Amino acid sequence: MIPRFTPNGDMDPKIEALREAGAVIIEDMASGTRIDAFNADLQPKYERLGAEFQNDFNGYLTRRVGGVAEHSGEFQHLFAEPQILALAEAILGPHCEVLQVGSTTAIEILPGEKAQVLHADDSIYPTQYFPFEMQISALWALDDFTEENGATRVIPGSHRQGSHPGDASRDSLPAAMSKGSVVLYLGSTLHGGGANASDKPRRALVNTYTLGWLRQEENQYLTLPPEVVAALPESVRRLLGFQAHGPHLGVWPEDPDGLWFDS
Ligand SMILES: O=C(O)CCC(=O)C(=O)O
Ligand SMILES: [Fe+2]
């Protein structure tokens, strides 16, 4: 079972469940109005850019759009949702000075797409050298997620157990949830997009949050136009990686958190 919560109540049980099961669902986190506005912003982008990321891993009946901060004014609210940041902070905070984004991706799984191979998102890093989690993912349902339409599949308990991509030794479960709900999973938890056997697309937004000293999976400095970054609230900008990490990494004289050598 994937533990499920409502947005109400204490964070501690959610944090505990995420640590234990490697994944949690928080139901109805964002309003339908917000999700509809986000979807309306992204729809022309799927049409124009969505084929760029098609490959064996992402699928050929799946359309993806990266650098989402540029594509919708609603993005920042989903990205900087306080409960998601609290969960990310609880898992990653002890191992870095500040958190940062890893990647931002809108995903539209079209009818007929097959299931994605089960994988751990942190396989982009040499995790074998680090005895702690390096990232977490927050995947928002932008449509009602059902097993039939390709709800993300997760293997609870698969984190840090030496599982391998494609491991089918245990059954994965669909993160069935209503539009506006979010499933969070650790970087080491096995999961993957489901097969879409329905006749409508299944849309999602997945943001990853990583230790601030790692290189970003999707380099925001190269991805986002400077004017888009400048127009964002400072807290969002920082979370996108436009900040120093402690006194010596990403040294940037204007950053009050950075220790510039002349000061
Ligand atoms: O679309 C989904 O449900 C999951 C996608 C995913 O896990 C990935 O591409 O890393
Ligand atoms: Fe993934």
Side-chain angles (χ1 to χ4, degrees), residues 38 53 63-68 75 103-107 204-208 218:
F38 182 84
F53 293 95
R63 303 197 292 190
R64 292 184 176 225
V65 176
V68 184
F75 169 78
S103 60
T104 66
T105 316
I107 304 178
L205 168 68
V206 58
N207 298 317
T208 68
E218 177 190 66

PDB file of all heavy atoms in Angstrom, residues 38 53 63-68 75 103-107 204-208 218:
ATOM      1  N   PHE A  38      -2.837  25.551 -15.199  1.00  0.00           N
ATOM      2  CA  PHE A  38      -1.526  24.995 -15.559  1.00  0.00           C
ATOM      3  C   PHE A  38      -1.642  24.178 -16.856  1.00  0.00           C
ATOM      4  O   PHE A  38      -0.842  24.326 -17.784  1.00  0.00           O
ATOM      5  CB  PHE A  38      -0.988  24.125 -14.415  1.00  0.00           C
ATOM      6  CG  PHE A  38       0.383  23.562 -14.696  1.00  0.00           C
ATOM      7  CD1 PHE A  38       1.518  24.311 -14.436  1.00  0.00           C
ATOM      8  CD2 PHE A  38       0.532  22.300 -15.241  1.00  0.00           C
ATOM      9  CE1 PHE A  38       2.785  23.803 -14.723  1.00  0.00           C
ATOM     10  CE2 PHE A  38       1.791  21.784 -15.529  1.00  0.00           C
ATOM     11  CZ  PHE A  38       2.913  22.545 -15.263  1.00  0.00           C
ATOM     12  N   PHE A  53      11.712  14.906 -26.245  1.00  0.00           N
ATOM     13  CA  PHE A  53      12.292  13.989 -25.259  1.00  0.00           C
ATOM     14  C   PHE A  53      11.865  12.540 -25.493  1.00  0.00           C
ATOM     15  O   PHE A  53      11.979  11.717 -24.597  1.00  0.00           O
ATOM     16  CB  PHE A  53      11.902  14.420 -23.846  1.00  0.00           C
ATOM     17  CG  PHE A  53      12.509  15.733 -23.425  1.00  0.00           C
ATOM     18  CD1 PHE A  53      11.801  16.915 -23.572  1.00  0.00           C
ATOM     19  CD2 PHE A  53      13.789  15.784 -22.889  1.00  0.00           C
ATOM     20  CE1 PHE A  53      12.360  18.135 -23.187  1.00  0.00           C
ATOM     21  CE2 PHE A  53      14.350  16.986 -22.499  1.00  0.00           C
ATOM     22  CZ  PHE A  53      13.633  18.170 -22.651  1.00  0.00           C
ATOM     23  N   ARG A  63       4.571  12.769 -24.356  1.00  0.00           N
ATOM     24  CA  ARG A  63       5.111  14.086 -24.711  1.00  0.00           C
ATOM     25  C   ARG A  63       5.574  14.769 -23.427  1.00  0.00           C
ATOM     26  O   ARG A  63       4.847  14.759 -22.420  1.00  0.00           O
ATOM     27  CB  ARG A  63       4.043  14.918 -25.422  1.00  0.00           C
ATOM     28  CG  ARG A  63       3.536  14.190 -26.657  1.00  0.00           C
ATOM     29  CD  ARG A  63       2.808  15.077 -27.614  1.00  0.00           C
ATOM     30  NE  ARG A  63       1.539  15.584 -27.111  1.00  0.00           N
ATOM     31  CZ  ARG A  63       0.647  16.226 -27.874  1.00  0.00           C
ATOM     32  NH1 ARG A  63       0.890  16.447 -29.155  1.00  0.00           N
ATOM     33  NH2 ARG A  63      -0.483  16.662 -27.348  1.00  0.00           N
ATOM     34  N   ARG A  64       6.766  15.325 -23.470  1.00  0.00           N
ATOM     35  CA  ARG A  64       7.354  15.947 -22.274  1.00  0.00           C
ATOM     36  C   ARG A  64       7.787  17.367 -22.565  1.00  0.00           C
ATOM     37  O   ARG A  64       8.261  17.663 -23.670  1.00  0.00           O
ATOM     38  CB  ARG A  64       8.576  15.156 -21.808  1.00  0.00           C
ATOM     39  CG  ARG A  64       8.209  13.793 -21.270  1.00  0.00           C
ATOM     40  CD  ARG A  64       9.427  13.072 -20.730  1.00  0.00           C
ATOM     41  NE  ARG A  64       8.998  11.823 -20.141  1.00  0.00           N
ATOM     42  CZ  ARG A  64       9.399  11.347 -18.974  1.00  0.00           C
ATOM     43  NH1 ARG A  64      10.291  12.008 -18.256  1.00  0.00           N
ATOM     44  NH2 ARG A  64       8.942  10.209 -18.510  1.00  0.00           N
ATOM     45  N   VAL A  65       7.667  18.197 -21.540  1.00  0.00           N
ATOM     46  CA  VAL A  65       8.143  19.580 -21.636  1.00  0.00           C
ATOM     47  C   VAL A  65       8.975  19.856 -20.392  1.00  0.00           C
ATOM     48  O   VAL A  65       8.514  19.631 -19.265  1.00  0.00           O
ATOM     49  CB  VAL A  65       6.946  20.566 -21.701  1.00  0.00           C
ATOM     50  CG1 VAL A  65       7.438  21.999 -21.689  1.00  0.00           C
ATOM     51  CG2 VAL A  65       6.083  20.303 -22.932  1.00  0.00           C
ATOM     52  N   GLY A  66      10.219  20.299 -20.587  1.00  0.00           N
ATOM     53  CA  GLY A  66      11.094  20.621 -19.456  1.00  0.00           C
ATOM     54  C   GLY A  66      11.135  22.130 -19.219  1.00  0.00           C
ATOM     55  O   GLY A  66      10.439  22.905 -19.897  1.00  0.00           O
ATOM     56  N   GLY A  67      11.945  22.535 -18.265  1.00  0.00           N
ATOM     57  CA  GLY A  67      12.088  23.971 -17.981  1.00  0.00           C
ATOM     58  C   GLY A  67      10.746  24.630 -17.706  1.00  0.00           C
ATOM     59  O   GLY A  67      10.439  25.712 -18.206  1.00  0.00           O
ATOM     60  N   VAL A  68       9.933  23.961 -16.873  1.00  0.00           N
ATOM     61  CA  VAL A  68       8.525  24.341 -16.761  1.00  0.00           C
ATOM     62  C   VAL A  68       8.331  25.740 -16.169  1.00  0.00           C
ATOM     63  O   VAL A  68       7.324  26.399 -16.442  1.00  0.00           O
ATOM     64  CB  VAL A  68       7.739  23.271 -15.967  1.00  0.00           C
ATOM     65  CG1 VAL A  68       6.262  23.603 -15.925  1.00  0.00           C
ATOM     66  CG2 VAL A  68       7.936  21.896 -16.585  1.00  0.00           C
ATOM     67  N   PHE A  75       3.328  27.405 -12.191  1.00  0.00           N
ATOM     68  CA  PHE A  75       4.380  26.461 -11.806  1.00  0.00           C
ATOM     69  C   PHE A  75       4.903  26.731 -10.401  1.00  0.00           C
ATOM     70  O   PHE A  75       5.065  25.823  -9.585  1.00  0.00           O
ATOM     71  CB  PHE A  75       5.534  26.517 -12.818  1.00  0.00           C
ATOM     72  CG  PHE A  75       6.757  25.777 -12.348  1.00  0.00           C
ATOM     73  CD1 PHE A  75       6.823  24.400 -12.425  1.00  0.00           C
ATOM     74  CD2 PHE A  75       7.833  26.468 -11.795  1.00  0.00           C
ATOM     75  CE1 PHE A  75       7.931  23.712 -11.975  1.00  0.00           C
ATOM     76  CE2 PHE A  75       8.942  25.786 -11.340  1.00  0.00           C
ATOM     77  CZ  PHE A  75       9.002  24.406 -11.424  1.00  0.00           C
ATOM     78  N   SER A 103      15.010  18.721 -11.441  1.00  0.00           N
ATOM     79  CA  SER A 103      14.430  18.862 -12.779  1.00  0.00           C
ATOM     80  C   SER A 103      12.953  19.205 -12.642  1.00  0.00           C
ATOM     81  O   SER A 103      12.346  18.979 -11.589  1.00  0.00           O
ATOM     82  CB  SER A 103      14.585  17.562 -13.566  1.00  0.00           C
ATOM     83  OG  SER A 103      13.913  16.510 -12.896  1.00  0.00           O
ATOM     84  N   THR A 104      12.403  19.760 -13.703  1.00  0.00           N
ATOM     85  CA  THR A 104      10.987  20.132 -13.745  1.00  0.00           C
ATOM     86  C   THR A 104      10.442  19.624 -15.078  1.00  0.00           C
ATOM     87  O   THR A 104      10.924  20.032 -16.124  1.00  0.00           O
ATOM     88  CB  THR A 104      10.827  21.663 -13.684  1.00  0.00           C
ATOM     89  OG1 THR A 104      11.370  22.241 -14.884  1.00  0.00           O
ATOM     90  CG2 THR A 104      11.552  22.258 -12.484  1.00  0.00           C
ATOM     91  N   THR A 105       9.475  18.715 -15.049  1.00  0.00           N
ATOM     92  CA  THR A 105       9.018  18.104 -16.300  1.00  0.00           C
ATOM     93  C   THR A 105       7.511  17.895 -16.297  1.00  0.00           C
ATOM     94  O   THR A 105       6.974  17.260 -15.379  1.00  0.00           O
ATOM     95  CB  THR A 105       9.686  16.721 -16.514  1.00  0.00           C
ATOM     96  OG1 THR A 105      11.072  16.798 -16.200  1.00  0.00           O
ATOM     97  CG2 THR A 105       9.522  16.250 -17.953  1.00  0.00           C
ATOM     98  N   ALA A 106       6.855  18.420 -17.304  1.00  0.00           N
ATOM     99  CA  ALA A 106       5.438  18.101 -17.525  1.00  0.00           C
ATOM    100  C   ALA A 106       5.398  16.898 -18.461  1.00  0.00           C
ATOM    101  O   ALA A 106       6.164  16.830 -19.432  1.00  0.00           O
ATOM    102  CB  ALA A 106       4.724  19.289 -18.142  1.00  0.00           C
ATOM    103  N   ILE A 107       4.551  15.927 -18.117  1.00  0.00           N
ATOM    104  CA  ILE A 107       4.526  14.651 -18.858  1.00  0.00           C
ATOM    105  C   ILE A 107       3.100  14.325 -19.277  1.00  0.00           C
ATOM    106  O   ILE A 107       2.209  14.232 -18.419  1.00  0.00           O
ATOM    107  CB  ILE A 107       5.051  13.489 -17.978  1.00  0.00           C
ATOM    108  CG1 ILE A 107       6.462  13.790 -17.457  1.00  0.00           C
ATOM    109  CG2 ILE A 107       5.029  12.180 -18.756  1.00  0.00           C
ATOM    110  CD1 ILE A 107       7.029  12.702 -16.541  1.00  0.00           C
ATOM    111  N   ALA A 204       0.890  14.904 -16.059  1.00  0.00           N
ATOM    112  CA  ALA A 204       1.534  15.012 -14.740  1.00  0.00           C
ATOM    113  C   ALA A 204       2.593  16.098 -14.787  1.00  0.00           C
ATOM    114  O   ALA A 204       3.066  16.472 -15.866  1.00  0.00           O
ATOM    115  CB  ALA A 204       2.180  13.675 -14.363  1.00  0.00           C
ATOM    116  N   LEU A 205       2.930  16.600 -13.623  1.00  0.00           N
ATOM    117  CA  LEU A 205       4.105  17.469 -13.480  1.00  0.00           C
ATOM    118  C   LEU A 205       4.984  16.812 -12.436  1.00  0.00           C
ATOM    119  O   LEU A 205       4.522  16.539 -11.326  1.00  0.00           O
ATOM    120  CB  LEU A 205       3.693  18.869 -12.997  1.00  0.00           C
ATOM    121  CG  LEU A 205       4.855  19.756 -12.531  1.00  0.00           C
ATOM    122  CD1 LEU A 205       5.754  20.149 -13.705  1.00  0.00           C
ATOM    123  CD2 LEU A 205       4.334  21.018 -11.827  1.00  0.00           C
ATOM    124  N   VAL A 206       6.231  16.529 -12.799  1.00  0.00           N
ATOM    125  CA  VAL A 206       7.134  15.967 -11.793  1.00  0.00           C
ATOM    126  C   VAL A 206       8.305  16.917 -11.579  1.00  0.00           C
ATOM    127  O   VAL A 206       8.991  17.311 -12.515  1.00  0.00           O
ATOM    128  CB  VAL A 206       7.595  14.528 -12.151  1.00  0.00           C
ATOM    129  CG1 VAL A 206       8.300  14.440 -13.480  1.00  0.00           C
ATOM    130  CG2 VAL A 206       8.488  13.967 -11.038  1.00  0.00           C
ATOM    131  N   ASN A 207       8.451  17.328 -10.320  1.00  0.00           N
ATOM    132  CA  ASN A 207       9.579  18.176  -9.920  1.00  0.00           C
ATOM    133  C   ASN A 207      10.454  17.357  -8.994  1.00  0.00           C
ATOM    134  O   ASN A 207       9.948  16.684  -8.100  1.00  0.00           O
ATOM    135  CB  ASN A 207       9.087  19.410  -9.160  1.00  0.00           C
ATOM    136  CG  ASN A 207       8.206  20.274 -10.025  1.00  0.00           C
ATOM    137  OD1 ASN A 207       8.497  20.506 -11.196  1.00  0.00           O
ATOM    138  ND2 ASN A 207       7.104  20.760  -9.460  1.00  0.00           N
ATOM    139  N   THR A 208      11.760  17.423  -9.215  1.00  0.00           N
ATOM    140  CA  THR A 208      12.643  16.774  -8.248  1.00  0.00           C
ATOM    141  C   THR A 208      13.398  17.847  -7.469  1.00  0.00           C
ATOM    142  O   THR A 208      13.645  18.953  -7.966  1.00  0.00           O
ATOM    143  CB  THR A 208      13.631  15.790  -8.914  1.00  0.00           C
ATOM    144  OG1 THR A 208      14.570  16.517  -9.697  1.00  0.00           O
ATOM    145  CG2 THR A 208      12.907  14.780  -9.781  1.00  0.00           C
ATOM    146  N   GLU A 218      18.550  18.967 -14.605  1.00  0.00           N
ATOM    147  CA  GLU A 218      18.153  19.924 -15.643  1.00  0.00           C
ATOM    148  C   GLU A 218      18.737  21.275 -15.228  1.00  0.00           C
ATOM    149  O   GLU A 218      18.211  21.926 -14.319  1.00  0.00           O
ATOM    150  CB  GLU A 218      16.620  20.004 -15.716  1.00  0.00           C
ATOM    151  CG  GLU A 218      16.093  21.012 -16.714  1.00  0.00           C
ATOM    152  CD  GLU A 218      14.583  21.216 -16.559  1.00  0.00           C
ATOM    153  OE1 GLU A 218      14.134  21.734 -15.510  1.00  0.00           O
ATOM    154  OE2 GLU A 218      13.848  20.848 -17.469  1.00  0.00           O
TER     155      GLU A 218
END
